[in-house]
Amino acid sequence: MSDVNLQRRVKRHIQAPEHDFFAVTAPGLEDLCAAELANLGAAQTTSLAGGVAFHGRLEAMLQANLWLRTAGRVLMRLADFRVRTWADLTRQAAAVPWELLLPADGSSLDVRVSLHESNLHHAGRVAEEIFWAAAKAMERQGLTAPVKALPGQDDALILQVRGVDRRASISLDTSGAHLHKRGYRQATAKAPLRETLAAALLMLCGYDGSRPLLDPMCGAGTLAIEAALMARALPPGLGRDFAFQRLAFHRPAAWAHLQKTAAANALAVPPAPIFAGDRLKSGLELAQANAARAGVAQSIQWGQADFFERPAPTATAGLVVINPPYGKRLGSVSQAEQIVRRIGRHLAEHYRGWRCGVVLYLPQWAELLGLEQIASLEVPHGGLKVTMFCGQVAG
Ligand SMILES: C[S@@+](CC[C@H](N)C(=O)[O-])C[C@H]1O[C@@H](n2cnc3c(N)ncnc32)[C@H](O)[C@@H]1O
């Protein structure tokens, strides 16, 4: 097929029409992500287990990748069908216009399959079927076919196949590296909070940048940095690359325009102060280096301090967010419990009228804080389940 002809088909079949997309989230974050998508103006958003479905043209997918703070990746649905026999899968895979989607540069392709009570049974065979459908379609058009990704290869394009009962779907990943990898956090302290979870805790507490914020045990600085990005209306994806930039339908000019508009609309300074502290100098330096990479080092007021030895940093009540230290060993579990208790006492004494968001490693610790509960959410984090708790300190 000639280049012009191919471009014309890309325009007609991929760039012009609307598509179904799916923003994948950690279980528990679906509703926060749905609210983010609604804010972006995405159409037909539906919260489902493990993510949010939405609908729109390619620009909606670009915006989702650029702006979503709680999602892990954004998938583009290529097919969603009833499957009874292998022939159904073969036919559906052959109907996907692969040559309008995949780059003709021999990129590695990783076909990931998850089956639940599916009558497809054999995940390996499903992956083979889909890979070869894509490769042969490319070859038929005289285009360089993809190659199979090696195990653990992290720069491969990803196709996701999901089979549940008698339905199956084929999706193309548009994000690439997980969206929590914003690109700013190279230096990590112990037990850093995933960026998506940090953003989720802030959202759960209703943070919008208009009131003061304190992250007194900042470690790698994730909570304070995510807060600064939110307060200044800076998209979390401004400093990184995405898989969609490699796809056949990508329009660099449209993408550049979205990035430029976002950067131009961002606030130069946060509307209310953001404070971050840690008792360790080394922790603080790490956080400052990460914040500098995120472009928000100047948006945060840093101070080396022990949280328990300081009063609130400002007389105006705001939000204090804390990811307290936690260890899995028995001794450190009871120590962590003591810290949560101490946080509760310190808040009651010095933070009257403030709101507080805390990451708790056991849900029952919420009671130790002695706060009036506003919201609470359980989410998986690093092989554990953590509770994101938001409470109000009595005024
Ligand atoms: C689990 S880490 C925080 C991780 C951080 N949220 C992140 O994502 O990188 C806990 C941090 O609390 C700090 N810390 C512990 N006790 C403290 C205290 N009393 N005052 C201030 N910082 C403290 C530790 O130095 C450590 O950096």
Side-chain angles (χ1 to χ4, degrees), residues 185 189-194 215-223 277-280 283 305-308 323-326 339 342 361:
R185 199 169 71 186
K190 266 195 225 159
L193 195 60
R194 260 199 181 188
D215 174 6
M217 301 188 184
C218 75
T222 320
L223 282 160
D278 201 286
R279 67 175 176 194
L280 299 180
D306 186 318
F307 175 56
F308 301 117
N323 178 21
Y326 175 75
I339 293 174
R342 259 187 104 184
Y361 292 85

Side-chain angles (χ1 to χ4, degrees), residues 201 204-205 356-358 360 366 369 371 373 375-376 387-391:
L201 180 62
L204 193 71
C205 295
C356 180
V358 190
L360 298 169
L369 289 165
L371 305 177
Q373 176 173 330
S376 174
T387 299
M388 312 266 235
F389 179 83
C390 176

Side-chain angles (χ1 to χ4, degrees), residues 284-303:
L284 216 56
E285 283 168 355
L286 211 68
Q288 283 170 315
N290 287 332
R293 265 187 294 275
V296 296
Q298 308 302 324
S299 308
I300 300 167
Q301 300 177 39
W302 306 91

Side-chain angles (χ1 to χ4, degrees), residues 118-130:
S118 168
N119 44 358
L120 289 171
H121 299 300
H122 195 307
R125 191 172 154 197
V126 173
E128 283 287 308
E129 189 87 29
I130 301 292

Side-chain angles (χ1 to χ4, degrees), residues 11 23 39 71 92 103 183 189 193 274 278 301 333 349 351 387 392:
K11 202 165 186 171
N39 264 339
Q92 292 286 343
L193 195 60
I274 297 172
D278 201 286
Q301 300 177 39
V333 170
E349 197 172 334
Y351 287 79
T387 299
Q392 181 70 37

